[in-house]
Amino acid sequence: ARMGRTVVELFYDVISPYSWLGFEVLCRYQHVWNIDLRFRPAFLGGIMQQTGNKPPAMLPKRAEYLLKDIKRMAKYYEVPVKVSGDDFKRIFSTSSLAAMRFITAIDMTKPEHLETLSREFWIRFWSQHEDISQPENILTVARQAGLSSELSQKALEMISSPTVKDRLKQTTDEAMKYGAFGMPAVVAHYNGEPHLFFGSDRLELLGSVIGE
């Protein structure tokens, strides 16, 4: 580890396209900035419910803007998010709970797969417009990410265990303690205090705060 690295936590959910954008940018910058990037898989549904937040796309004008915004950001950051008006309905009708528990199980057993696995979930849901909520979809994603079938099977069994459920809930609660009300929530620990940045469009500000 380099001297005095700033710990940056990324709280994310694979159902969130902005989380994917933030994730990719931070993955690139962890090699440029003096940061120790930590992936914190959490559950967006839980955060929305407990903070009383509403999905932004529920407001028609905002949904219209989001479509353009996500397309522009995807192009700018070269992340293959493909978004259309129907995607908002798709988000509302998909639960990411099983996927996020699966990612949590991998985080607890083989964290070295976390980055690749999370990316594959986003690719499947946001590039290929495929389902990620059913066990067979989850196993397909794990295979794409290069996980052995043995490991995937074990992680799939773990998603109904109290340890995994508690860990995901704990991480989600932690994000809210830092003030999160949506995703991605990026928390930089600098000068002895946590700094929360919401969304994927505040990363230059994050750099400025931590002296990068």
Side-chain angles (χ1 to χ4, degrees):
R2 287 172 289 167
M3 281 299 292
R5 290 170 83 176
T6 301
V7 172
V8 174
E9 297 183 272
L10 169 64
F11 293 89
Y12 67 93
D13 186 320
V14 293
I15 202 98
S16 150
Y18 286 108
S19 287
W20 189 12
L21 294 162
F23 171 90
E24 294 297 357
V25 176
L26 285 171
C27 282
R28 293 165 198 175
Y29 272 86
Q30 69 178 332
H31 306 294
V32 183
W33 288 349
N34 193 20
I35 61 173
D36 175 8
L37 180 60
R38 300 194 182 160
F39 299 122
R40 306 297 310 276
F43 181 48
L44 180 57
I47 289 187
M48 300 297 270
Q49 203 181 348
Q50 289 186 62
T51 60
N53 193 358
K54 299 270 181 289
M58 284 174 79
L59 187 69
K61 276 291 166 208
R62 194 161 177 195
E64 232 172 87
Y65 175 77
L66 284 182
L67 274 181
K68 290 185 194 134
D69 188 52
I70 292 170
K71 282 178 185 163
R72 281 193 294 226
M73 286 188 79
K75 191 178 171 193
Y76 179 74
Y77 287 124
E78 296 177 356
V79 177
V81 184
K82 294 184 178 62
V83 66
S84 70
D86 303 340
D87 284 324
F88 297 131
K89 284 193 210 79
R90 224 160 54 92
I91 299 182
F92 296 151
S93 62
T94 301
S95 170
S96 62
L97 188 57
M100 293 318 295
R101 281 182 181 158
F102 185 84
I103 292 171
T104 300
I106 291 298
D107 186 24
M108 293 169 82
T109 49
K110 293 273 185 209
E112 61 271 24
H113 291 295
L114 203 53
E115 183 183 327
T116 321
L117 178 67
S118 301
R119 184 176 288 115
E120 283 300 333
F121 270 107
W122 275 304
I123 289 172
R124 185 173 170 92
F125 192 76
W126 283 105
S127 290
Q128 299 163 347
H129 290 191
E130 299 282 351
D131 189 57
I132 54 165
S133 63
Q134 300 307 311
E136 61 273 21
N137 310 134
I138 290 173
L139 290 175
T140 303
V141 172
R143 194 171 57 239
Q144 293 290 119
L147 274 66
S148 71
S149 55
E150 195 185 1
L151 176 60
S152 310
Q153 210 51 60
K154 185 185 160 197
L156 196 61
E157 283 159 23
M158 284 173 73
I159 67 176
S160 50
S161 73
T163 18
V164 167
K165 288 178 176 177
D166 289 350
R167 168 73 170 261
L168 181 60
K169 196 183 170 307
Q170 218 178 323
T171 308
T172 306
D173 288 346
E174 221 171 294
M176 285 186 288
K177 278 198 195 93
Y178 288 128
F181 50 87
M183 298 252 179
V186 182
V187 178
H189 297 270
Y190 189 70
N191 271 350
E193 55 177 311
H195 302 262
L196 170 75
F197 299 86
F198 171 65
S200 52
D201 56 351
R202 287 290 179 269
L203 299 173
E204 68 280 18
L205 200 58
L206 160 74
S208 158
V209 166
I210 65 174
E212 292 289 351

